[in-house]
Amino acid sequence: SRDTEFHLSLRRGMMLRGASRECLNFNFEDSPEGKFFETIVAATGTLEREQNARQVRQKMQARVEQGYAVHAIPPVGYKYVRGQGGGKVLVRNEPLASIVQYALQSFASGHFASQAEMKRYLESQPEFPKSKGGFVRQQKVVQMLRQVIYAGYVSKPGWGVSLREGKHQGLISKATFERNQAILDGRVYAPARKDITPDFPLRGAVH
């Protein structure tokens, strides 16, 4: 075990059930000294795990501070390649990059009058990843619109890293990103559509 509290809880549970514990590289003993040593071994494992996690986070934080993205899985439209100075860098991943770029720009310009229209567009693209059943979740649409990385920036507020220009190329401008935020927050409205005619009076209003 690499978690002291879990190890002690598991040990008590096995003792209550009369189960015996065996390990290839450790000899369990029920003596006071044996229990003490077992606890020390479990605590050492916990320390090593937490120290490793801290080191990984510090390295990732340093990368973000330098402008690099550290997503375990790159956002749709990007892929990782090995950078010249080491480490991974985001680059456009076609044709997904162009699909995402068109969707985000169209929402900002009003070509898509709603999130539902953007969702239907993404579902119509064979290359765009979808959920089971061929659908794009509404949450995915909002996540894409809120993702500042598409504007060429990175941030990690939880790690104390403020918004800064990234080392990758954005799919949209910062102005486009900010307009999408304003639309989502209800501070501005998308431009009136020119394709609304008497034949289709509810276009963009019915989802």
Side-chain angles (χ1 to χ4, degrees), residues 116-126 128 130 134-138:
E117 288 195 20
M118 178 174 163
K119 177 176 179 292
R120 286 193 290 271
Y121 164 74
L122 295 175
E123 289 173 343
S124 71
Q125 303 302 307
F128 193 85
K130 303 173 183 65
F135 297 101
V136 174
R137 296 182 182 276
Q138 180 65 29

Side-chain angles (χ1 to χ4, degrees), residues 63 68 81-89:
R63 290 281 293 174
Y68 293 97
V81 297
R82 181 67 60 179
Q84 295 181 350
K88 298 179 179 180
V89 182

Side-chain angles (χ1 to χ4, degrees), residues 1-69:
S1 173
R2 302 192 69 188
D3 184 276
T4 308
E5 184 177 352
F6 174 79
H7 180 85
L8 296 177
S9 176
L10 180 63
R11 182 175 69 180
R12 287 192 297 268
M14 295 182 72
M15 291 179 62
L16 289 173
R17 291 163 178 77
S20 61
R21 297 173 296 142
E22 296 182 1
C23 182
L24 295 176
N25 57 2
F26 186 84
N27 183 29
F28 292 101
E29 297 181 3
D30 291 331
S31 65
E33 293 80 8
K35 293 179 180 179
F36 173 77
F37 183 66
E38 179 182 338
T39 302
I40 293 298
V41 172
T44 301
T46 300
L47 176 63
E48 292 176 351
R49 175 178 59 82
E50 293 180 349
Q51 287 178 330
N52 289 338
R54 181 179 61 190
Q55 291 176 359
V56 170
R57 174 174 169 175
Q58 288 175 340
K59 291 179 180 179
M60 294 176 67
Q61 180 176 342
R63 290 281 293 174
V64 179
E65 290 175 344
Q66 295 169 8
Y68 293 97

Side-chain angles (χ1 to χ4, degrees), residues 38 52 56-57 59 75 79 96 100 111 127 131 179 197:
E38 179 182 338
N52 289 338
V56 170
R57 174 174 169 175
K59 291 179 180 179
K79 64 181 178 180
L96 289 173
V100 172
H111 181 68
E127 299 88 351
S131 302
R179 178 166 182 81
T197 68

